[in-house]
Amino acid sequence: MSGRIVSREDPVQSERHSEAGSVAPPSKVGVPPRKNAWEEFKSVVNETFFSDQPLRHFKDQPKRKKVALFVQGLFPVFQWGRGYNFSKFKGDLIAGLTIASLCIPQDIGYAKLANLPAENGLYSSFVPPLVYAVMGSSRDIAIGPVAVVSLLLGTLLSQVYDPVKEAEEYKRLAFTATFFAGVTQLALGFLRLGFLIDFLSHAAIVGFMGGAAVTIALQQLKGLLGIKNFTKKTDIISVMRSVWSNVQHGWNWQTILIGVSFLVFLLATKYIGKKHKKLFWIPAIAPLTSVILSTFFVYITRADKDGVQIVKHIDKGINPPSLDKIFFHGDNLTKGFKIGVVAGLIALTEAVAIARTFADLKDYEINGNKEMMALGTMNIAGSMTSCYVATGSFSRSAVNYMAGCSTPMSNIVMACVVLLTLELITPLFKYTPNAILASIIICAVIGLIDIDAVILLWKIDKFDFIACMGAFFGVVFDSVEIGLLIAVSLSLFKILLQVTRPRIALLGKLPKIAIFRNILQYPGAKRIDGILMVRVDSSIYFSNANYVKERILRWLADETEKLKDQSLPIKVVVIDMSPVNDIDTSGIHAIEGLYSHLQKKEIELALANPGPVIMEKLLAANFDKLIGEDNIFLSVNEAIKTYAPNAALDP
């Protein structure tokens, strides 16, 4: 049947035509040449893994050019570095210095959030940004530790080791998790499996991020209020119980004064920067300014002797090697792998979302798989140099973008400033109060709560809103991992719901034109007497095939009930197949079952506009012989021309 065209020589049809008068023969449905098994397999693989045609630039190029293109593809620095000039460097220098002033205090705070020494946070803004600058394709993303991943790591790692009593094992497990987070990201990029992270829906991410922001802010009450004995649980009930149980003797008024004062200052500068975009640098330098002022205040007043908790010590010097500290065998290998996979996927989701956002703003393209490979490589390198999981930070990336960065060179500038900080300035952080770090983190995570997005979810899709709230309350009232589990589960449930219950529309004909549309969307669309017209808005697979058949039969029963007192009952069911992209064996069996059911009721079945894949599979199953080749039409209007010529119009 390959290449065969549907004919119209059936005697029943000829009789219809003679009764209805002279009717032009319907247009014929074309059938593409049939592919062999290898061609079909190759087509599926190409569309799944190589839809962006990564090798298209290599076509018809000399060998030397191919080598150059390969190197540029693997290390984009050789691409943007060729046209680099002093004008671009000025923008990158200003942007790099600006995000460095923001990242240094944040890194110290985020390290504490992950229950790691402060220097590990700074280490994570030195080596990973340098690696990313060489391999990354985003011009605007700023690399370093982030609040959500830090909290996730701190929560998961502390379930295995106590970060205080077993500090060395805890740190080693953190490096192990970072290594496997990088391996996960690199593998997804190399195997071109980046589409897997899209299974975590935007709604679930909004809820998860919002819940994590609330949880992080609640955790900072320990530092903001000066509480020493604080719960290790992260749910809101345990945290609030711990806060109020310490109200009599656990709160420190000097700490509260420092923390609240600078929190108000940080929020005020953030408000100024939001209202006046040109003043973006004010909220960018506000955290470092707050650290300097609060540290100076504590030092001259010796408030640490009155109970104000301080950083005390940050190791001086650049990243020490840590390859020998990674667990490559034993139970800790499995534990580190599990934690690393989860942390790596969350970090990857955040980074890719940020990179795409700013790429759209500047109208340039990023390669998702290359981004994953860059992120994976930098985290593997980071795990070997005393870093923990780094990714793209939205707050720092936004500052980087507004500061006028041109290339990833801004990450190199930031890393150089962090290097100078590690070599020269870390002793000055000794008297930095924990309260100011808590204030900086609270101010930073507030931006993760996107109220506007939640309102939009409610307006557009109620199920998305439920998924968002489920993830949010899961994090807030239980734990980060439960919230993440709820987010993933609800995302997958939505996919299953849409796959198993596709939309099927009942069609009517619009007045005076040969167009057929959903009668719910177009109340003016009229049904054709004696014909039931439906449209399946999905591929037909084993998961939804029976539902499609039963839904059409239910509509048929409803319409038959309505028309039982009329002289013209339903004689034909026309299925518009134009939105159906694919069909499997179960789908064909379901359509065959529908045909058999209709035959018993002396009702004909017609298909309209099946696509090339559908037509090829129908022919392979000999369905055209079962239904009759003359019952497969180019369009719904062609079917109406045959079955109800007086109701049809020429398009």
Side-chain angles (χ1 to χ4, degrees), residues 564-643:
K564 64 181 180 180
D565 297 329
Q566 298 184 22
S567 58
L568 190 60
I570 300 295
K571 288 297 183 181
V572 183
V573 174
V574 179
I575 303 178
D576 183 2
M577 303 283 285
S578 53
V580 181
N581 295 318
D582 202 356
I583 190 170
D584 66 0
T585 307
S586 298
I588 293 176
H589 284 322
I591 302 298
E592 289 175 346
L594 176 63
Y595 171 77
S596 299
H597 187 93
L598 295 177
Q599 285 291 296
K600 293 174 184 177
K601 295 180 178 291
E602 297 183 349
I603 298 174
E604 293 198 55
L605 176 65
L607 303 183
N609 194 24
V613 174
I614 307 300
M615 199 63 193
E616 185 178 347
K617 292 185 177 181
L618 292 179
L619 294 177
N622 291 322
F623 184 78
D624 58 315
K625 295 179 180 177
L626 175 67
I627 192 177
E629 294 178 342
D630 51 347
N631 284 327
I632 302 177
F633 297 90
L634 182 64
S635 67
V636 175
N637 194 54
E638 293 291 336
I640 302 305
K641 283 182 180 180
T642 298
Y643 294 111

Side-chain angles (χ1 to χ4, degrees), residues 207-225:
F208 175 76
M209 290 293 187
V214 172
T215 301
I216 292 167
L218 291 173
Q219 289 287 306
Q220 301 316 302
L221 292 176
K222 175 185 178 182
L224 198 67
L225 303 176

Side-chain angles (χ1 to χ4, degrees), residues 28 69 301 370 579:
K28 299 176 181 180
L69 289 172
T301 62
K370 288 182 182 177

Side-chain angles (χ1 to χ4, degrees), residues 210-463:
V214 172
T215 301
I216 292 167
L218 291 173
Q219 289 287 306
Q220 301 316 302
L221 292 176
K222 175 185 178 182
L224 198 67
L225 303 176
I227 300 173
K228 294 182 180 179
N229 298 318
F230 199 74
T231 180
K232 293 183 179 179
K233 296 181 179 179
T234 60
D235 63 282
I236 187 171
I237 296 174
S238 299
V239 171
M240 296 312 297
R241 185 184 293 123
S242 182
V243 168
W244 290 115
S245 65
N246 285 281
V247 69
Q248 295 294 331
H249 306 289
W251 293 17
N252 181 275
W253 72 267
Q254 295 99 326
T255 301
I256 296 173
L257 178 64
I258 295 171
V260 173
S261 299
F262 280 101
L263 179 58
V264 172
F265 168 71
L266 290 168
L267 292 174
T269 58
K270 192 170 186 176
Y271 177 80
I272 292 171
K274 191 174 182 180
K275 286 293 182 181
H276 306 281
K277 299 297 184 183
K278 292 183 179 180
L279 300 178
F280 68 89
W281 56 272
I282 293 179
I285 66 171
L288 187 58
T289 304
S290 300
V291 167
I292 294 170
L293 292 176
S294 62
T295 302
F296 180 71
F297 173 78
V298 171
Y299 176 73
I300 62 173
T301 62
R302 295 313 305 267
D304 56 306
K305 293 184 178 180
D306 294 322
V308 175
Q309 299 176 36
I310 57 176
V311 173
K312 292 183 180 178
H313 177 72
I314 299 179
D315 284 346
K316 186 179 179 181
I318 61 172
N319 307 36
S322 56
L323 177 60
D324 59 327
K325 296 182 179 180
I326 298 175
F327 292 113
F328 286 114
H329 55 80
D331 292 340
N332 286 321
L333 169 64
T334 305
K335 294 171 183 176
F337 174 78
K338 292 178 180 178
I339 296 172
V341 169
V342 175
L345 290 175
I346 294 298
L348 189 61
T349 302
E350 187 171 356
V352 172
I354 292 169
R356 286 174 177 170
T357 298
F358 289 104
D360 289 342
L361 289 174
K362 283 191 175 178
D363 195 25
Y364 66 91
E365 293 184 4
I366 63 164
N367 187 306
N369 291 298
K370 288 182 182 177
E371 282 295 290
M372 294 173 200
M373 294 178 67
L375 293 165
T377 304
M378 79 178 191
N379 277 315
I380 292 174
S383 69
M384 300 177 184
T385 52
S386 301
C387 305
Y388 73 96
V389 181
T391 187
S393 164
F394 187 83
S395 59
R396 274 173 267 173
S397 298
V399 170
N400 196 31
Y401 167 78
M402 289 186 289
C405 68
S406 299
T407 67
M409 177 62 76
S410 59
N411 276 291
I412 298 177
V413 174
M414 179 191 71
C416 291
V417 175
V418 173
L419 170 63
L420 294 175
T421 302
L422 286 167
E423 288 287 4
L424 304 173
I425 307 175
T426 49
L428 301 180
F429 289 111
K430 178 180 179 180
Y431 291 99
T432 299
N434 289 340
I436 192 62
L437 300 178
S439 300
I440 291 170
I441 292 174
I442 291 173
C443 184
V445 299
I446 285 176
L448 296 177
I449 304 175
D450 196 342
I451 301 297
D452 292 336
V454 175
I455 294 173
L456 189 62
L457 290 173
W458 171 259
K459 291 179 179 178
I460 295 176
D461 192 319
K462 299 301 186 291
F463 188 89

Side-chain angles (χ1 to χ4, degrees), residues 137-200:
S137 59
S138 173
R139 305 172 194 168
D140 303 278
I141 197 170
I143 297 297
V146 297
V148 174
V149 177
S150 299
L151 174 67
L152 182 64
L153 273 179
T155 302
L156 297 178
L157 293 172
S158 59
Q159 294 175 0
V160 182
Y161 288 114
D162 188 295
V164 178
K165 297 178 182 178
E166 302 169 299
E168 188 59 31
E169 289 82 359
Y170 183 93
K171 191 188 295 186
R172 291 186 64 186
L173 190 61
F175 297 151
T176 305
T178 301
F179 175 81
F180 285 109
V183 169
T184 301
Q185 294 168 340
L186 182 62
L188 287 175
F190 182 77
L191 298 176
R192 306 185 69 80
L193 297 174
F195 61 87
L196 294 177
I197 64 173
D198 293 331
F199 280 92
L200 193 60

